[in-house]
Amino acid sequence: MKTGADSIATTGAGPQAGLPPLRLTVLGATGSIGGSTLDLVARNRERFHVVALTANDRAEDLARAAIAVGAEHAVVADPAAYQRLKDALAGSGITAAAGPQAVREAAARPADMVIAAIVGAAGLEPTIAAAARGTTIALANKECLVCAGDLFMAVARGACATILPVDSEHNAVFQVLERGNLDQVEKLTLTASGGPFRTLSLEAMRGVTPEAALRHPNWSMGARISIDSATMMNKGFEIIEASHLFPLGPEQLEVLVHPQSVVHGMVQYRDGSLLAQLGAPDMRTPIAHCLAWPRRMATPAQRLDLAALATLSFEAPDPLRFPALRIAREAMVAGTAATAALNAADEIAVRAFLDRGIGFLDIAATAETVLERMAAAGDLAEPGCVDDVLGIDGIARGRALEAIAARVG
Ligand code: NDP
């Protein structure tokens, strides 16, 4: 059973200003979200005590970050990076560990808040481990909700965990949603920049390079989410994410292309009021909103000069050039098995595109093929536990590799 927006932020106490430093763990500390978080921590050292930082294999970067913020513990998921981590931490007094189990243990260490910013399905188990402790989770890893939304929210509710959305659009909606008023909402709007190919013809999109696709016009982000933004699969995932955070009907979750990325999300109420959150495209704003919630903290994010901006424009997404949105919506209606499979297939297809194995338009086509084949094979039974999700994820990855091989073969 979903409990709605009330469940994301009212079940736990949340961090309070004026109290001892917030004990913070950052999963995915070497990434784009992790780096923005640690930038805010470094600017407000007195407000935070860093419990643990994790990464995959960038041991030296992780060690540098851990030393800079005085973390207690640092973990790499890749055991092969352990020695490098230990060497880089030598003499610092920071303990080190390695392996997926060690990442889960780091996530479950007592902390007031866990920033869940691992990329991909790898973030699922550590984030669930943190939720099971009933802590406050600032959730960037949208794959948790895309792959296992019902399971994740059930664990969070069961443990009275507080979920704060980091994703800028969901954070925007969270900021303007009057809690307890979800039944007064007509629709939620998530904005999309439209990515680097917003105005490109379908024909031209066929030949775009990974370099061009990685060049996001407004946001600086990790590789996968940048490509997902270019295909708009990311916005599809965000609709799925929103359906778990703010349970409304699929027709009440709208995407609007807004090239300036200034309005991040909007809530349309039944009385005609349309409430929006605006801000410069800088992830430090939504991250700071989570770090300081329910209060506010200062950030160096650029302030909007609306007179200089002069024009904010909006347009409907083009379903022909950006089929990923439709595919994601169909998966959302089909259920969690389909959304988990979609995420896995997309992860494989994005990797293949970055490796120049397939073309840009093949990313969404591969994902759709995988969903069709899994549905036909009866592989989309709803998952009852995380192992089921991981099973679906594995099948989808295999199917995606087959589909890619068939495409290039
Ligand atoms: P990045 O690719 O920049 O960083 C990913 C982080 O996850 C790195 O610390 C990486 O470690 C770690 N990691 C990768 N694989 C594993 C693994 N198998 N086990 C443990 N850790 C791993 O990603 P982003 O920061 O861009 O995105 C993180 C999440 O936040 C994603 O789910 C994304 O969708 C979401 N998000 C991101 C936004 C953004 O602006 N970037 C906005 C909204 C949501 P290492 O460096 O060692 O590889």
Side-chain angles (χ1 to χ4, degrees):
M1 192 196 74
K2 294 167 180 165
T3 60
D6 288 352
S7 74
I8 71 161
T10 55
T11 50
Q16 301 289 328
L19 292 177
L22 187 83
R23 292 174 58 81
L24 185 71
T25 286
V26 184
L27 308 175
T30 48
S32 168
I33 294 290
S36 295
T37 304
L38 293 179
D39 176 73
L40 292 170
V41 169
R43 291 169 191 272
N44 298 276
R45 283 298 300 273
E46 72 294 343
R47 291 182 68 140
F48 300 99
H49 174 86
V50 179
V51 175
L53 300 182
T54 79
N56 186 31
D57 59 3
R58 286 166 53 197
E60 290 79 9
D61 289 347
L62 178 67
R64 210 171 301 122
I67 291 167
V69 296
E72 289 173 17
H73 189 55
V75 182
V76 276
D78 181 358
Y82 183 47
Q83 193 57 49
R84 286 191 286 120
L85 180 63
K86 278 211 312 191
D87 292 347
L89 288 175
S92 68
I94 300 169
T95 54
Q101 174 64 23
V103 175
R104 287 197 290 278
E105 282 167 12
R109 283 191 168 210
D112 300 313
M113 182 180 288
V114 173
I115 307 285
I118 292 174
V119 66
L124 187 55
E125 289 187 286
T127 310
I128 288 182
R133 272 204 58 260
T135 191
T136 297
I137 297 183
L139 186 67
N141 177 264
K142 65 191 71 178
E143 292 85 352
C144 261
L145 293 174
V146 172
C147 301
D150 292 335
L151 290 169
F152 176 75
M153 293 304 277
V155 170
R157 265 197 310 276
C160 288
T162 299
I163 310 297
L164 302 174
V166 168
D167 221 346
S168 56
E169 298 78 1
H170 307 74
N171 183 270
V173 166
F174 178 53
Q175 290 197 42
V176 295
L177 194 61
E178 295 162 309
R179 279 187 269 135
N181 253 350
L182 204 62
D183 61 342
Q184 305 300 307
V185 170
E186 257 174 27
K187 67 175 179 186
L188 304 182
T189 302
L190 309 183
T191 60
S193 70
F197 309 136
R198 182 176 61 87
T199 57
L200 221 57
S201 70
L202 190 61
E203 202 39 48
M205 283 167 89
R206 216 173 287 286
V208 297
T209 62
E211 290 74 19
L214 284 168
R215 229 171 284 130
H216 195 279
N218 303 339
W219 296 95
S220 159
M221 307 182 287
R224 183 186 176 200
I225 188 172
S226 297
I227 302 300
D228 282 343
S229 295
T231 60
M232 289 192 76
M233 185 66 86
N234 181 52
K235 210 50 58 179
F237 289 149
E238 288 180 2
I239 286 287
I240 298 165
E241 187 182 1
S243 74
H244 291 287
L245 293 171
F246 316 110
L248 293 165
E251 69 295 343
Q252 292 174 286
L253 303 170
E254 176 192 64
V255 169
L256 210 48
V257 174
H258 166 50
Q260 295 86 8
S261 294
V262 164
V263 177
H264 302 300
M266 298 180 245
V267 177
Q268 173 73 65
Y269 287 98
R270 60 200 287 244
D271 62 2
S273 295
L274 179 64
L275 271 60
Q277 185 262 353
L278 286 72
D282 184 330
M283 284 307 294
R284 288 177 299 185
T285 296
I287 293 169
H289 180 254
C290 295
L291 286 172
W293 186 85
R295 298 176 67 84
R296 299 270 174 176
M297 65 187 276
T299 79
Q302 200 188 331
R303 276 27 178 183
L304 291 178
D305 180 344
L306 290 176
L309 266 169
T311 306
L312 298 178
S313 57
F314 301 90
E315 64 201 41
D318 176 351
L320 285 180
R321 290 181 306 122
F322 298 100
L325 263 180
R326 169 188 54 78
I327 297 167
R329 273 191 187 278
E330 287 170 2
M332 173 174 71
V333 172
T336 303
T339 57
L342 176 64
N343 173 66
D346 177 72
E347 208 167 312
I348 294 291
V350 166
R351 186 70 265 154
F353 170 68
L354 288 171
D355 292 342
R356 294 179 161 71
I358 58 173
F360 182 73
L361 296 179
D362 294 329
I363 299 173
T366 300
E368 187 160 36
T369 302
V370 169
L371 287 177
E372 283 166 1
R373 297 214 174 133
M374 286 183 70
D379 286 332
L380 293 179
E382 281 306 281
C385 61
V386 173
D387 281 349
D388 290 350
V389 172
L390 297 178
I392 292 164
D393 179 276
I395 295 171
R397 281 167 200 271
R399 293 271 186 190
L401 290 171
E402 283 166 24
I404 288 166
R407 243 163 232 289
V408 295

